[in-house]
């Protein structure tokens, strides 16, 4: 994923709207991807995952899309709620790297009531 | 399911002292545990990977003699920051991985070294 240093990109959406958070990953050998949500002062919380043999996976109010051609991952949140406000990280796993995860720089989602 | 706890949640210590952080998987057996540190407004940086009963594998640039990791059981790993200095102040987060590929994270420990 992209590293953005000290300035997290921020996505601001209105409550009830849909949110789309994007992530570009770097390793074409990555075979497993996870989205995490991190609230201030807390550890990352698992949201949804997807394997490289899929291009879409749906959960409750969330959908992850994977485009391996351009190495792009997105997280769609339907009917965004104030409780969705957090920093969202994508993570990629490269199978021959011992199952370790490489995290993207994160995107801050702010939901306006 | 898949709950990971950390203790303490917050610690303040004097420079030169050692601090131990515990990471426990509460409802699953974590064959592998990972330790990360996170600076404000930044992403998670992997420090080390530990498998139960084995020595930890440290990432490049992480001093193994300064950050001692012990993974004594399938539910407990500890990170000891030895001779802590102000630059070690950070948010330390562990994760556990069991049979499934997903890593489940603890709530983090905020360390402040004065």
């Amino acid at each position: 994923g992209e590293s953005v240093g000290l300035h997290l990109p921020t996505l601001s959406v209105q409550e009830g709207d849909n949110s789309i958070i994007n992530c570009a990953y770097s390793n074409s050998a990555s075979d497993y991807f996870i989205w995490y949500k991190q609230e201030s002062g807390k550890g990352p919380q698992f949201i949804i995952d997807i394997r490289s043999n899929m291009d879409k996976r749906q959960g409750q109010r969330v959908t992850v899309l994977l485009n391996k051609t351009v190495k792009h991952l997105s997280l769609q949140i339907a009917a965004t709620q104030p409780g969705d406000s957090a920093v969202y990280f994508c993570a990629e796993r490269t199978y021959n790297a011992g199952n370790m995860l490489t995290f993207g720089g994160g995107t801050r989602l702010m939901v306006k009531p | 399911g898949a709950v990971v706890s950390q203790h303490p949640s917050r610690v303040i210590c004097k420079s030169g002292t050692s601090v131990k952080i515990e990471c426990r998987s509460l409802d699953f057996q974590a064959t592998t545990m990972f330790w990360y540190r996170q600076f404000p407004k930044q992403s998670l940086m992997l420090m080390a990977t530990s498998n139960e009963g084995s020595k930890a594998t440290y990432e490049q640039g992480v001093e193994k003699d300064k950050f001692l990791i012990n993974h004594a059981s399938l539910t407990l790993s500890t990170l000891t920051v030895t001779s802590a200095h102000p630059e070690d102040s950070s948010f330390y987060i562990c994760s556990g991985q069991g049979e499934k590929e997903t890593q489940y994270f603890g709530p983090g420990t905020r360390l402040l070294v004065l």
Side-chain angles (χ1 to χ4, degrees), chain A residues 74-91:
Chain A
S74 68
L75 176 70
Q76 300 178 359
I77 304 174
T80 314
Q81 302 168 359
D84 296 326
S85 295
V87 177
Y88 289 81
F89 293 98
C90 65

Side-chain angles (χ1 to χ4, degrees), chain B residues 39-53:
Chain B
F39 292 106
K41 298 184 180 180
Q42 293 191 25
S43 190
L44 285 77
M45 296 300 295
L46 180 66
M47 298 175 68
T49 302
S50 74
N51 291 296
E52 185 261 339

Side-chain angles (χ1 to χ4, degrees), chain B residues 87-109:
Chain B
E87 58 266 29
D88 299 323
S89 298
S90 189
F91 193 49
Y92 291 87
I93 311 173
C94 71
S95 70
Q97 181 181 54
E99 294 179 350
K100 296 183 179 180
E101 301 163 287
T102 308
Q103 288 184 32
Y104 293 95
F105 286 83
T109 297

Side-chain angles (χ1 to χ4, degrees), chain A residues 5-6 8 32 34 36 38 41-44 46 49 51 89 93 98-101 103-105 108, chain B residues 32 34 36 38 40-44 46 49 59 91 93 97 101-108 110:
Chain A
L6 295 177
L8 288 172
Y32 179 60
I34 309 174
Y36 288 96
Q38 186 177 27
K42 298 183 179 180
F46 171 87
D49 58 1
R51 293 180 185 276
F89 293 98
R93 183 198 73 174
N99 282 330
M100 59 176 275
L101 295 176
F103 282 81
R108 182 177 303 280
Chain B
T32 305
F34 302 84
Y36 297 82
Q38 185 179 34
K41 298 184 180 180
Q42 293 191 25
S43 190
L44 285 77
L46 180 66
T49 302
E59 294 301 299
F91 193 49
I93 311 173
Q97 181 181 54
E101 301 163 287
T102 308
Q103 288 184 32
Y104 293 95
F105 286 83
R110 187 161 301 283

